[in-house]
Amino acid sequence: MTDTIAYPAAYPAPKDWILGIHAYVPGKAAADDGRPLVKLSANENPLGTSQAARDAFMTAAADMATYPDPAAAKLREAIGAKHGLDPARIIYGTGSDELLHLAASGYAGPGDEILYVRYGFAVYDIAARRVGATPVIAPDKDYATDVDALLAAVTERTKVVFLANPNNPTGTMTSRAEIARLHAGLRPDILFVLDQAYAEYLDEDEDDGGLALARDASNVFVTRTFSKIYGLAAERIGWGYGSPEVIDILHRIRAPFNVTTVGQAAAIAAIGDDDWVARSRTHNNQWREWLAGEVASLSNHGLRAIPSKTNFLLILFEGKLTAEAAMKGLWDEGFATRWLPGQGLPNGLRITIGTEEQTRAVAAKLRAMAEAA
Ligand code: PMP
């Protein structure tokens, strides 16, 4: 958007580096002609929100006139109890997005570098540029994180390393051993931000060890969100865990009342509803693997799904059917998906795992389009 506005020579003059930012493009909920679509473009929970969380939200909504608890004390206690963490070392944000920005703001500025892997989460570029730091992109290894490439890209100026695990938009997972190796290779004065927005979709034995690493190391900050498996994307609640020093720095710069009363109440209830989370995970993982199998059966038409540990699949179109045509064809079936030319993936379409009916319909349309192309 900013690209299309001509700024006059005189003021108010934005910072140069802000002009280098391309605003985040949210997942679509409508076709180009405005037709509303089922949103498989933002990795939300297709099952919705747990009843317990909805009830807690409604009860908390009775009080709208007073500010929310600025310390989010009960929320931190609930998160701490769930994960065995010291609540004093937990911070909360308006979505985990805010926490990513806080990490960049607290530790990097003009002249510094912020490092992440190619096809990393789109907000890392914005977070780096927003503070005037230089984004540095390390090459991937077949769409997954290449720890050696990341370590090779570290310079004296590197201040922050962002890594989403599992990653969006690729869905790929970096193993616990590789995360430990990456951390061991980083200087202690570099903040390692491990973004675990999709961690709740993993089985226990797939844990990347990030929270344990952050418990013991002073330079690791782990972020999580209530927007994905907990079905609370509308409430904008994220949380982060790190050393007392990191948490102190980030508290200094977060917005004063950055998580709402209803959001805090809903999140506390959501984190206590284990059945809902388990049901959401089971549903997701079953239909993700089913859809991956369908895509694999279209490999002779040039379709390939990157192995995913998240609630979405990145499908590459390397045959006659293009990702753009597939996206448009899916509009006709009523589905919004995420085409990714802006993230260097013009042949990639990211599709959130929906309900069974939605997933079957998506697969059927992909098959029809691939076979007709
Ligand atoms: N990290 C990753 C990897 C994500 O995919 C997202 C959401 N798309 C976020 C962070 C931010 O999520 P939220 O602000 O809703 O917590």
Side-chain angles (χ1 to χ4, degrees):
M1 270 179 286
T2 45
D3 299 345
T4 58
I5 297 173
Y7 281 88
Y11 359 65
K15 296 168 189 160
D16 287 348
W17 55 80
I18 299 294
L19 290 173
I21 294 177
H22 294 277
Y24 184 79
V25 182
K28 287 186 179 209
D32 279 357
D33 62 7
R35 245 177 319 149
L37 300 169
V38 173
K39 206 171 157 210
L40 300 179
S41 57
N43 305 336
E44 296 143 338
N45 188 334
L47 307 183
T49 311
S50 103
Q51 191 58 45
R54 300 174 72 86
D55 292 345
F57 176 103
M58 295 307 284
T59 303
D63 176 14
M64 297 191 199
T66 48
Y67 281 108
D69 174 7
K74 288 187 181 146
L75 175 60
R76 286 186 296 111
E77 269 166 36
I79 295 167
K82 173 79 188 167
H83 294 281
L85 308 173
D86 176 2
R89 292 175 55 179
I90 295 169
I91 189 169
Y92 34 90
T94 309
S96 53
D97 273 344
E98 184 190 16
L99 298 169
L100 302 173
H101 284 292
L102 293 181
S105 307
Y107 293 90
D112 297 330
E113 292 175 354
I114 293 186
L115 174 62
Y116 49 91
V117 71
R118 179 152 62 144
Y119 313 128
F121 180 42
V123 162
Y124 305 156
D125 179 84
I126 300 172
R129 292 179 194 273
R130 185 176 182 236
V131 299
T134 304
V136 176
I137 298 169
D140 61 300
K141 191 161 58 186
D142 197 21
Y143 301 91
T145 299
D146 182 342
V147 166
D148 291 312
L150 272 172
L151 289 173
V154 170
T155 74
E156 280 174 5
R157 296 177 167 199
T158 307
K159 289 289 167 65
V160 177
V161 174
F162 280 120
L163 182 69
N165 202 33
N167 184 44
N168 172 18
T170 59
T172 54
M173 176 81 193
T174 306
S175 72
R176 187 184 184 106
E178 284 291 274
I179 292 290
R181 192 164 75 82
L182 172 58
H183 176 248
L186 294 175
R187 290 192 316 269
D189 61 298
I190 296 174
L191 181 67
F192 176 25
V193 180
L194 190 54
D195 170 352
Q196 296 185 335
Y198 300 93
E200 289 80 10
Y201 289 102
L202 301 171
D203 292 329
E204 254 171 53
D205 61 352
E206 294 173 320
D207 173 22
D208 69 8
L211 289 174
L213 206 57
R215 182 187 59 218
D216 300 331
S218 59
N219 66 333
V220 179
F221 180 55
V222 171
T223 61
R224 294 270 184 118
T225 184
F226 282 92
S227 300
K228 305 299 174 186
I229 213 164
Y230 292 112
L232 287 171
E235 302 321 311
R236 311 302 304 120
I237 300 200
W239 60 275
Y241 173 72
S243 65
E245 300 77 34
V246 170
I247 298 302
D248 171 58
I249 292 300
L250 303 187
H251 267 303
R252 292 174 195 233
I253 53 176
R254 72 171 170 80
F257 299 98
N258 59 342
V259 283
T260 63
T261 302
V262 285
Q264 292 185 39
I268 292 164
I271 207 168
D273 193 343
D274 291 338
D275 288 349
W276 172 263
V277 172
R279 195 153 80 78
S280 298
R281 183 189 302 117
T282 302
H283 167 86
N284 179 73
N285 296 3
Q286 176 187 345
W287 289 101
R288 183 188 66 212
E289 293 321 304
W290 181 84
L291 184 58
E294 289 294 296
V295 174
S297 76
L298 297 172
S299 61
N300 53 330
H301 295 288
L303 273 66
R304 150 162 104 108
I306 303 298
S308 170
K309 289 290 177 187
T310 60
N311 65 344
F312 58 85
L313 270 190
L314 175 63
I315 302 175
L316 301 177
F317 294 77
E318 293 161 336
K320 282 195 186 140
L321 177 64
T322 65
E324 183 180 14
M327 173 189 69
K328 290 184 172 163
L330 285 165
W331 286 352
D332 295 338
E333 295 299 300
F335 297 109
T337 59
R338 181 97 148 186
W339 181 39
L340 298 158
Q343 289 187 64
L345 291 165
N347 62 347
L349 201 60
R350 197 195 66 192
I351 304 183
T352 305
I353 305 306
T355 63
E356 171 178 352
E357 190 189 359
Q358 292 161 357
T359 310
R360 285 187 184 281
V362 163
K365 181 66 178 178
L366 286 176
R367 180 174 302 282
M369 289 189 290
E371 288 174 352

